[in-house]
Amino acid sequence: MTALNPEQLRWSILIASLAMMSMAVFVILFIIYYQKKQLDQEKKLHDVEKKYQRMLLETALNSEEAERRRIAQDLHDDIGTMLSLTKLSLNQLYKNMNKEDPRSEFTLHKAQSLVEETIIHVRRITRDLVPTTLEQFGLVAAIEEFINRLSDNVSLTVHFLCDTENIPRLPPKVELALYRIMQELVNNAIKHSSCDEIEIDLHLNKGKLELQVTDNGKGFDTHKRDLKKQEGLGLRNIESRLSVINGAVNFQKPGIRGLRARVQIPVESEQPIKPEPLHPFRKSPADWSA
Amino acid sequence: MAFFTYFERYPLASFAVLLILLPLGLAVYRYSWLDESFRLLFYFLCLDLAIGLGMIYLAAHRTNNILILNLFVPSRYVLLSGMFYYKFQSDRCRRAIVYVLFAFVPFTLVDIYTSNPVLSDLHNHRVGRYAQVVESVLIIGWVLLYLYEITKTLQVKNIIGYPFFWVCAGLLIFYSGNIFFFPFWYYMYIWEDDLKLGFVEEVPYVVEIISLLLFTIGIWQTRAHHDSPES
């Protein structure tokens, strides 16, 4: 075996050390590259998951709207028609009956008024299920109509503040979401806060459409998230709807009493002039012909 | 005076020792942001500086200083592997670090004894033959294992801004650069008739300087990482 002389040894050690250091540098660079790639992949996966969740949520909300529309249609076309026919029959019966029997007349009157009342209820339910005013005249008109319906309640005063001229028509999906959120917030205030005054404020604020629903009821501690859970499905529903339209909600205490729900959604500069149909699966006439 | 003569004769070796002041000073400045691992690094740097200055002092006064180096090896390993003990998330790895630690320290002492049968003869004291090579393998192993863990768990979002990554990089460079030198130290550092390798003998100092600079980057990052762990 030939022994290495110091010169050979020197170069051997140097080359071996440089090779080892190069490997170390390679490992460091590889870790940086690999970590970055992994994180990018994870981010992409997260984005896909988020998009998928949003799509699921949107589909669920669309299905809910479609179901509401179907029920409203059934109520209007079937129950409504049958009730109208019943009313007509009762009127006919009233004309033909023997008027000398007061008990029969009273019973018939009672039946007529019950049918009329039921017709009114069915109409109201149908309107609640499908806000046709929203489709035709927009959010402001729909809120005004909703407030009018609430005015039957003597113990409750509802104010509506709106910058009508500046509120643009939004995509139907957004208008419907905002309308449902407003309905939910007002219903929550009536049911849970024991309030006698509600103020609905709709205005544009720094390129965002802001909807504020303020009541003078007992309110809740906005810092305690648990209380929010108690409110349950309603608030979660609001958050779900907002997540689909990139909106946000927060709750504030306007004073000693009450609660203010502040909903903000971004307003896109270009708004479609012609509203899309509310029915998510209903095809337009153009689609039918195609 | 002897110090200055030494600095003049061995500028790179002296610079490698004096450069410890850079990460050490920064560690003092950043002390409140240092976690357990970085505090161990801080103690290591203190010890390294003390050992480095002590060795220069003895070398300048023509005294064999290898015993200090031999005793530095186990203490260095304890501090450096201790850093990984605090950083590893896996309990298995942490247990392994403790077991290896208890095996390595007696091994080093045995290695010193077998490399120097006459321990009382400090004048002809020599570097342990295997201890530093085994230490290099172990530390490189812990570094690679730790890097594997952080890439697998993805707990670190921005690895460039992660302080301990730079410490790992410094350790990897230091031990990779020295692993082929350490076996020769037994033959090179003999009081009489030592093996001369010329400019190659300077390579460990260059490697040490690089690793100290990487430690400095790591210590510098501690505050930013503490303020914003995601960064």
Coordinates of all heavy atoms in Angstrom, one line a residue, chain B residues 68-118:
Chain B
I68 N -7.7 21.7 27.2 CA -8.9 22.6 27.2 C -9.8 22.2 26.0 O -11.0 22.1 26.2 CB -8.5 24.0 27.1 CG1 -7.6 24.4 28.3 CG2 -9.7 25.0 27.0 CD1 -7.1 25.9 28.2
L69 N -9.2 22.0 24.9 CA -10.0 21.6 23.7 C -10.7 20.3 24.0 O -11.9 20.1 23.7 CB -9.1 21.5 22.5 CG -9.8 21.0 21.2 CD1 -10.8 22.0 20.7 CD2 -8.8 20.6 20.1
N70 N -10.0 19.3 24.5 CA -10.6 18.0 24.8 C -11.8 18.1 25.8 O -12.8 17.4 25.6 CB -9.6 17.0 25.4 CG -8.7 16.4 24.3 OD1 -9.2 16.4 23.2 ND2 -7.6 15.9 24.7
L71 N -11.7 19.0 26.8 CA -12.7 19.2 27.7 C -13.9 20.0 27.1 O -15.0 19.9 27.6 CB -12.2 19.8 29.0 CG -11.2 19.0 29.8 CD1 -10.7 19.8 31.0 CD2 -11.9 17.7 30.3
F72 N -13.5 20.8 26.1 CA -14.6 21.6 25.5 C -15.5 20.7 24.7 O -16.7 21.1 24.6 CB -13.9 22.6 24.6 CG -14.8 23.6 23.9 CD1 -15.9 24.2 24.5 CD2 -14.7 23.8 22.5 CE1 -16.7 25.1 23.8 CE2 -15.5 24.7 21.8 CZ -16.5 25.3 22.5
V73 N -15.0 19.6 24.1 CA -15.8 18.8 23.2 C -17.1 18.3 23.9 O -18.2 18.5 23.4 CB -15.0 17.6 22.6 CG1 -15.9 16.7 21.9 CG2 -13.9 18.2 21.7
P74 N -17.0 17.6 25.1 CA -18.3 17.2 25.7 C -19.2 18.3 26.1 O -20.4 18.3 25.9 CB -17.9 16.4 26.9 CG -16.5 16.8 27.2 CD -15.9 17.2 25.9
S75 N -18.6 19.4 26.6 CA -19.5 20.5 27.0 C -20.2 21.2 25.8 O -21.3 21.5 25.9 CB -18.7 21.6 27.8 OG -17.4 21.5 27.6
R76 N -19.4 21.3 24.7 CA -20.0 21.8 23.5 C -21.2 20.9 23.0 O -22.2 21.4 22.7 CB -18.9 21.9 22.4 CG -19.4 22.4 21.1 CD -18.2 22.6 20.1 NE -17.5 21.3 19.8 CZ -16.4 21.3 19.1 NH1 -15.8 22.4 18.7 NH2 -15.9 20.1 18.8
Y77 N -20.9 19.6 23.1 CA -22.0 18.7 22.6 C -23.2 18.8 23.5 O -24.4 18.8 23.0 CB -21.5 17.3 22.6 CG -22.6 16.3 22.1 CD1 -22.9 16.3 20.8 CD2 -23.4 15.6 23.0 CE1 -24.0 15.5 20.3 CE2 -24.4 14.8 22.6 CZ -24.7 14.7 21.2 OH -25.7 14.0 20.8
V78 N -23.0 18.9 24.8 CA -24.2 19.0 25.8 C -25.0 20.3 25.4 O -26.2 20.2 25.3 CB -23.7 19.1 27.2 CG1 -24.8 19.5 28.2 CG2 -23.1 17.8 27.6
L79 N -24.3 21.4 25.2 CA -25.1 22.6 24.9 C -25.8 22.6 23.5 O -26.9 23.0 23.4 CB -24.1 23.8 25.0 CG -23.6 24.1 26.4 CD1 -22.4 25.2 26.3 CD2 -24.7 24.6 27.3
L80 N -25.0 22.1 22.5 CA -25.6 22.1 21.2 C -26.8 21.1 21.1 O -27.8 21.4 20.5 CB -24.5 21.9 20.1 CG -23.5 22.9 20.0 CD1 -22.5 22.6 18.9 CD2 -24.1 24.3 19.8
S81 N -26.6 19.9 21.6 CA -27.7 18.9 21.5 C -28.8 19.3 22.4 O -30.0 19.1 22.1 CB -27.2 17.5 21.9 OG -26.8 17.5 23.2
G82 N -28.5 20.1 23.5 CA -29.6 20.6 24.4 C -30.5 21.5 23.6 O -31.7 21.6 23.8
M83 N -29.9 22.3 22.7 CA -30.7 23.2 21.8 C -31.8 22.4 21.1 O -32.9 22.8 20.9 CB -29.8 23.9 20.8 CG -29.0 25.0 21.5 SD -27.7 25.8 20.4 CE -28.3 25.6 18.8
F84 N -31.3 21.3 20.5 CA -32.3 20.5 19.8 C -33.3 19.8 20.7 O -34.4 19.6 20.3 CB -31.5 19.4 19.0 CG -30.8 20.0 17.8 CD1 -29.4 20.3 17.9 CD2 -31.5 20.3 16.6 CE1 -28.8 20.9 16.8 CE2 -30.8 20.9 15.6 CZ -29.5 21.2 15.7
Y85 N -32.9 19.5 21.9 CA -33.8 18.9 22.9 C -35.0 19.9 23.0 O -36.2 19.4 23.0 CB -33.1 18.7 24.2 CG -34.1 18.2 25.3 CD1 -34.4 16.8 25.4 CD2 -34.7 19.1 26.2 CE1 -35.3 16.4 26.3 CE2 -35.6 18.6 27.1 CZ -35.9 17.2 27.2 OH -36.7 16.8 28.1
Y86 N -34.8 21.1 23.1 CA -35.9 22.1 23.3 C -36.7 22.3 22.0 O -37.8 22.7 22.0 CB -35.4 23.4 23.8 CG -35.0 23.3 25.3 CD1 -33.7 23.5 25.7 CD2 -36.0 23.1 26.2 CE1 -33.4 23.4 27.0 CE2 -35.7 23.0 27.6 CZ -34.3 23.2 28.0 OH -34.0 23.1 29.3
K87 N -36.0 22.1 20.8 CA -36.6 22.5 19.6 C -37.5 21.3 19.0 O -38.5 21.6 18.3 CB -35.6 22.9 18.5 CG -35.1 24.3 18.7 CD -36.2 25.3 18.4 CE -35.7 26.7 18.7 NZ -36.8 27.7 18.6
F88 N -37.0 20.1 19.2 CA -37.8 18.9 18.7 C -39.2 18.9 19.2 O -39.4 19.1 20.4 CB -37.0 17.6 19.0 CG -36.1 17.2 17.9 CD1 -34.7 17.1 18.2 CD2 -36.5 16.9 16.6 CE1 -33.8 16.7 17.2 CE2 -35.6 16.6 15.6 CZ -34.3 16.4 15.9
Q89 N -40.1 18.5 18.4 CA -41.5 18.3 18.9 C -41.7 16.9 19.2 O -42.5 16.6 20.1 CB -42.5 18.8 17.8 CG -42.6 20.3 17.7 CD -43.9 20.7 16.9 OE1 -44.3 20.0 16.0 NE2 -44.4 21.8 17.3
S90 N -41.0 16.0 18.5 CA -41.2 14.6 18.7 C -40.5 14.1 20.0 O -39.4 14.4 20.3 CB -40.6 13.9 17.5 OG -40.1 12.6 17.9
D91 N -41.3 13.5 20.8 CA -40.8 13.0 22.1 C -39.7 11.9 21.9 O -38.8 11.8 22.7 CB -42.0 12.4 22.9 CG -42.8 13.5 23.6 OD1 -42.2 14.6 23.7 OD2 -44.0 13.2 23.9
R92 N -39.9 11.2 20.8 CA -38.9 10.1 20.6 C -37.5 10.7 20.3 O -36.5 10.2 20.9 CB -39.4 9.3 19.4 CG -38.8 7.9 19.3 CD -39.2 7.2 18.1 NE -40.7 6.9 18.1 CZ -41.3 6.3 17.1 NH1 -40.7 6.0 15.9 NH2 -42.6 6.0 17.2
C93 N -37.5 11.8 19.6 CA -36.2 12.4 19.3 C -35.6 13.1 20.5 O -34.4 13.0 20.8 CB -36.4 13.5 18.2 SG -36.8 12.9 16.6
R94 N -36.5 13.6 21.4 CA -36.0 14.3 22.6 C -35.4 13.2 23.5 O -34.3 13.4 24.1 CB -37.1 15.0 23.3 CG -37.7 16.1 22.5 CD -38.9 16.7 23.1 NE -38.5 17.8 24.0 CZ -39.3 18.6 24.5 NH1 -40.6 18.6 24.2 NH2 -38.9 19.6 25.4
R95 N -36.1 12.1 23.6 CA -35.6 11.0 24.4 C -34.2 10.5 23.9 O -33.3 10.3 24.6 CB -36.6 9.8 24.5 CG -37.6 10.0 25.6 CD -38.1 8.6 26.0 NE -38.7 7.9 24.9 CZ -40.0 8.1 24.5 NH1 -40.8 9.0 25.1 NH2 -40.5 7.4 23.4
A96 N -34.2 10.4 22.5 CA -32.9 9.9 21.9 C -31.8 10.9 22.2 O -30.6 10.4 22.5 CB -33.1 9.8 20.4
I97 N -32.1 12.2 22.2 CA -31.0 13.2 22.5 C -30.5 12.9 23.9 O -29.3 13.0 24.1 CB -31.6 14.6 22.4 CG1 -31.7 14.9 20.9 CG2 -30.7 15.6 23.0 CD1 -32.3 16.3 20.6
V98 N -31.4 12.7 24.9 CA -30.9 12.5 26.2 C -30.1 11.2 26.4 O -29.0 11.2 27.0 CB -32.2 12.4 27.2 CG1 -31.8 12.1 28.6 CG2 -32.9 13.7 27.1
Y99 N -30.6 10.1 25.8 CA -29.8 8.9 25.8 C -28.4 9.0 25.2 O -27.4 8.6 25.8 CB -30.6 7.7 25.1 CG -31.9 7.4 25.7 CD1 -33.0 6.9 25.0 CD2 -32.1 7.5 27.1 CE1 -34.2 6.6 25.5 CE2 -33.3 7.2 27.7 CZ -34.4 6.7 26.9 OH -35.6 6.4 27.5
V100 N -28.4 9.6 24.0 CA -27.1 9.8 23.3 C -26.2 10.7 24.2 O -25.0 10.4 24.2 CB -27.3 10.4 21.9 CG1 -26.0 10.7 21.2 CG2 -28.1 9.4 21.1
L101 N -26.8 11.7 24.8 CA -26.0 12.6 25.6 C -25.3 11.8 26.7 O -24.1 12.0 27.0 CB -26.9 13.7 26.2 CG -26.3 14.8 26.9 CD1 -25.6 15.8 25.9 CD2 -27.3 15.6 27.7
F102 N -26.0 11.0 27.4 CA -25.5 10.2 28.5 C -24.4 9.2 28.0 O -23.6 8.8 28.8 CB -26.6 9.5 29.3 CG -27.3 10.5 30.2 CD1 -28.6 10.8 30.1 CD2 -26.6 11.1 31.3 CE1 -29.2 11.7 30.9 CE2 -27.2 12.0 32.1 CZ -28.5 12.3 31.9
A103 N -24.5 8.8 26.7 CA -23.6 7.9 26.2 C -22.3 8.6 25.7 O -21.2 8.1 25.8 CB -24.2 7.1 25.1
F104 N -22.5 9.8 25.1 CA -21.4 10.5 24.5 C -20.4 11.1 25.5 O -19.2 11.0 25.2 CB -22.0 11.6 23.6 CG -20.9 12.4 22.9 CD1 -20.3 11.8 21.8 CD2 -20.6 13.7 23.2 CE1 -19.3 12.5 21.1 CE2 -19.6 14.4 22.6 CZ -18.9 13.8 21.5
V105 N -20.9 11.6 26.6 CA -20.0 12.3 27.5 C -19.0 11.3 28.1 O -17.8 11.5 28.0 CB -20.8 13.0 28.6 CG1 -19.9 13.6 29.7 CG2 -21.6 14.1 28.0
P106 N -19.4 10.1 28.6 CA -18.4 9.1 29.1 C -17.5 8.6 27.9 O -16.3 8.5 28.1 CB -19.2 7.9 29.6 CG -20.6 8.4 29.6 CD -20.7 9.6 28.9
F107 N -18.1 8.5 26.7 CA -17.3 8.1 25.5 C -16.2 9.1 25.3 O -15.0 8.7 25.0 CB -18.2 8.0 24.3 CG -17.5 7.9 23.0 CD1 -16.9 6.6 22.7 CD2 -17.3 8.9 22.1 CE1 -16.2 6.5 21.5 CE2 -16.6 8.8 21.0 CZ -16.0 7.6 20.6
T108 N -16.5 10.4 25.4 CA -15.4 11.4 25.2 C -14.3 11.3 26.2 O -13.1 11.4 25.8 CB -16.1 12.8 25.3 OG1 -17.3 12.8 24.8 CG2 -15.3 13.9 24.6
L109 N -14.7 11.0 27.4 CA -13.7 10.9 28.5 C -12.8 9.7 28.3 O -11.6 9.8 28.4 CB -14.4 10.9 29.9 CG -15.2 12.2 30.2 CD1 -16.0 12.0 31.5 CD2 -14.4 13.4 30.2
V110 N -13.5 8.6 27.9 CA -12.7 7.4 27.6 C -11.8 7.6 26.4 O -10.6 7.2 26.4 CB -13.7 6.2 27.3 CG1 -12.9 5.0 26.8 CG2 -14.5 5.9 28.5
D111 N -12.3 8.4 25.4 CA -11.5 8.7 24.2 C -10.3 9.5 24.6 O -9.2 9.3 24.1 CB -12.4 9.4 23.2 CG -11.7 9.7 21.9 OD1 -11.1 8.7 21.4 OD2 -11.7 10.8 21.3
I112 N -10.5 10.5 25.4 CA -9.3 11.3 25.9 C -8.3 10.4 26.6 O -7.1 10.5 26.3 CB -9.8 12.4 26.9 CG1 -10.7 13.4 26.1 CG2 -8.6 13.2 27.4 CD1 -11.4 14.4 27.1
Y113 N -8.8 9.5 27.4 CA -7.9 8.6 28.2 C -7.2 7.7 27.2 O -6.0 7.5 27.3 CB -8.8 7.8 29.2 CG -7.9 6.9 30.0 CD1 -7.0 7.3 31.0 CD2 -8.0 5.5 29.7 CE1 -6.3 6.4 31.7 CE2 -7.2 4.6 30.4 CZ -6.4 5.0 31.4 OH -5.6 4.2 32.1
T114 N -7.9 7.1 26.3 CA -7.2 6.1 25.4 C -6.2 6.9 24.4 O -5.2 6.3 24.0 CB -8.2 5.3 24.5 OG1 -9.1 6.3 23.9 CG2 -9.0 4.3 25.4
S115 N -6.6 8.1 24.1 CA -5.7 8.9 23.2 C -4.4 9.4 24.0 O -3.4 9.7 23.3 CB -6.4 10.1 22.6 OG -7.5 9.7 21.9
N116 N -4.6 9.5 25.3 CA -3.5 10.0 26.1 C -3.3 9.0 27.3 O -3.8 9.3 28.4 CB -3.8 11.4 26.7 CG -4.0 12.4 25.6 OD1 -3.0 12.9 25.0 ND2 -5.2 12.7 25.3
P117 N -2.6 7.9 27.1 CA -2.4 7.0 28.2 C -1.8 7.6 29.4 O -2.1 7.2 30.5 CB -1.5 5.9 27.6 CG -1.6 6.1 26.1 CD -1.9 7.5 25.9
V118 N -0.9 8.6 29.2 CA -0.3 9.2 30.4 C -1.0 10.6 30.6 O -0.5 11.6 30.0 CB 1.3 9.4 30.2 CG1 1.9 9.9 31.6 CG2 1.9 8.1 29.8

